[in-house]
Amino acid sequence: MSKKYYPSHSDGGATLAKIIIAFILLLAVIASSVITTGYLITGTANPLKWKQEITTPDTPTPPNDNTQGGGLIDVTENNGIKLTTARIAAEDFEGYGIDPQANTAYTLTATVNADAADKNVVWGVSWKNSSSSWASGKSIADYATVTPATEFGLTATLTVKQAFGEPINVKVASYLDTTVNAIAQVDYLKTVNAFSAQLNPALAADKTGRLYVGNTENTIAVRPTYGIGTVEGTVSQYTIKLYLSTTTRQRITDLMKSGTGTTNFTGREYADVTTNTGKFTFDLFKLVNGGGPSSTYDTARTLVNNYVYNNGATDTSTSMGQDCLFNKVIYTITYTYGQDYTKNVTYESTSGIYMNKKGLSKISVIDDINLDKDQIVVLPS
């Protein structure tokens, strides 16, 4: 007679354990397959409990380069991952495998908690508003790319290929939970391609005295032409060079040569002014060169003051200003963005600028001398 075999309770437990182990291994294989596909996994689970790490990782020191490109990065969100950036100097592009024609580039470093079992992250770039009038229809890949140093690695290179007019978002996220992420906004600084300028634009017409030479304040109005970008810098300094006409310069030189003690002074080629606000008063002594005792400076200052008082233009007329004329003005503005970007841009105007005597007072000088006696007779002793 054959014997029937009935599994014991202990045998059934072993079989169940084998089934559970096989199921777990199957899940591990599936998870590994998903991870190697390179796609973001969406969801809310956070099995690794990533958190923001306060310690700063070792990253390249940004070079002190204030002329390279216009990309500006601001980390706007840290949701469990800390993101730091460092600018890459143009001369180092080759070492990072960056196209030498690129506009600018940055090293990006993500930091996660040290005890995370899996530190894999994914990187991506996108328009902040892809439906904006500027970004609509434009491929982000034509303007910026982000390339991890290693697959799913914590370090990546952001390459800006050309100027853009819509902010770009760079996002780094946990591979297993994309709600754990950091986002940096990338902006592009508008360049000043050119500008025009005018002195005292409140004056109604060009045929007036444009430069106040008395105590009346002057205003420099600048109208920049910007390039493509998302943010603007500021004008931190204005410098103007006012070139005297040949006639005006010669008249001032002749005046100095005819004065007592002022023969060392001459009319200057140009007068220069620098201001941080775009407003200034003009010192007439800038019209002359020369030196000597302090008394001769006072005399020279008096002569040039009264010369302009007698020959200067007004708010409404230049009929008296032909001998008080600048025939060329060179404007230079210093365009800056924080501590990272500085550029000087120049504009030249050959429109005549007449000296306006508004607010200028004549300096009184001796113009009549009398003796109490017309004749003195010396008598012999």
Side-chain angles (χ1 to χ4, degrees):
M1 179 184 294
S2 63
K3 295 183 179 180
K4 292 185 179 179
Y5 177 77
Y6 296 96
S8 67
H9 291 292
S10 58
D11 288 336
T15 302
L16 179 61
K18 291 178 181 179
I19 293 173
I20 293 174
I21 292 172
F23 181 74
I24 292 174
L25 290 174
L26 177 61
L27 287 179
V29 170
I30 292 173
S32 175
S33 174
V34 171
I35 289 176
T36 56
T37 61
Y39 294 103
L40 280 172
I41 300 175
T42 59
T44 57
N46 188 7
L48 301 182
K49 301 184 185 297
W50 288 23
K51 62 183 178 181
Q52 181 174 347
E53 189 71 33
I54 304 301
T55 56
T56 303
D58 293 330
T59 57
T61 302
N64 184 18
D65 180 358
N66 62 3
T67 59
Q68 174 196 339
L72 304 164
I73 298 180
D74 181 25
V75 179
T76 56
E77 293 185 35
N78 278 323
N79 301 313
I81 300 178
K82 183 176 181 180
L83 183 61
T84 57
T85 68
R87 195 171 192 170
I88 301 173
E91 57 268 26
D92 295 331
F93 280 6
E94 183 178 356
Y96 284 84
I98 300 169
D99 184 343
Q101 301 303 314
N103 187 286
T104 190
Y106 291 83
T107 294
L108 309 178
T109 302
T111 305
V112 300
N113 52 301
D115 61 349
D118 188 325
K119 295 183 174 63
N120 286 339
V121 297
V122 288
W123 299 82
V125 288
S126 62
W127 296 119
K128 184 176 182 180
N129 179 7
S130 60
S131 61
S132 70
S133 58
W134 195 92
S136 180
K138 293 183 174 70
S139 170
I140 187 70
D142 292 335
Y143 296 87
T145 59
V146 62
T147 306
T150 58
E151 188 175 20
F152 311 125
L154 294 174
T155 301
T157 298
L158 171 68
T159 302
V160 177
K161 298 180 179 180
Q162 58 180 313
F164 50 87
E166 169 64 29
I168 292 172
N169 280 345
V170 176
K171 183 176 181 180
V172 56
S174 160
Y175 199 97
L176 298 181
D177 181 2
T178 57
T179 64
V180 182
N181 59 63
I183 298 174
Q185 178 172 311
V186 184
D187 282 290
Y188 198 93
L189 177 65
K190 296 179 181 180
T191 58
V192 174
N193 294 334
F195 71 95
S196 61
Q198 188 180 41
L199 284 171
N200 301 311
L203 293 174
D206 287 335
K207 296 300 183 182
T208 61
R210 276 291 177 196
L211 178 74
Y212 293 119
V213 294
N215 294 324
T216 304
E217 188 175 64
N218 293 280
T219 299
I220 304 172
V222 172
R223 292 173 292 279
T225 300
Y226 291 107
I228 296 172
T230 59
V231 294
E232 294 178 6
T234 58
V235 178
S236 60
Q237 185 172 279
Y238 306 75
T239 300
I240 60 174
K241 290 183 178 181
L242 300 126
Y243 286 79
L244 280 68
S245 69
T246 302
T247 299
T248 299
R249 186 180 182 188
Q250 189 60 51
R251 293 280 191 274
I252 293 174
T253 297
D254 293 343
L255 182 65
M256 295 297 127
K257 298 302 182 185
S258 65
T260 302
T262 58
T263 56
N264 289 334
F265 291 90
T266 60
R268 184 176 289 183
E269 179 185 5
Y270 64 84
D272 57 321
V273 176
T274 298
T275 170
N276 294 330
T277 63
K279 298 182 180 296
F280 66 96
T281 55
F282 184 79
D283 182 1
L284 276 170
F285 202 59
K286 288 180 176 291
L287 300 177
V288 297
N289 278 322
S294 58
S295 59
T296 64
Y297 278 93
D298 293 339
T299 302
R301 184 179 293 275
T302 297
L303 288 174
V304 73
N305 180 92
N306 290 350
Y307 171 80
V308 176
Y309 179 84
N310 292 329
N311 298 283
T314 67
D315 281 356
T316 58
S317 174
T318 60
S319 60
M320 292 288 290
Q322 299 300 320
D323 292 339
C324 295
L325 174 67
F326 301 105
N327 62 1
K328 181 174 71 173
V329 183
I330 295 179
Y331 301 84
T332 300
I333 59 172
T334 301
Y335 181 66
T336 60
Y337 188 87
Q339 302 295 318
D340 302 318
Y341 182 90
T342 300
K343 185 177 181 180
N344 291 327
V345 188
T346 298
Y347 165 73
E348 181 176 318
S349 171
T350 54
S351 298
I353 299 291
Y354 294 93
M355 302 179 203
N356 192 322
K357 60 185 179 182
K358 181 180 180 179
L360 187 66
S361 299
K362 185 174 184 178
I363 299 175
S364 296
V365 296
I366 298 173
D367 57 9
D368 186 29
I369 299 178
N370 291 304
L371 291 174
D372 58 350
K373 291 183 180 181
D374 293 335
Q375 182 179 17
I376 298 175
V377 176
V378 178
L379 302 175
S381 56

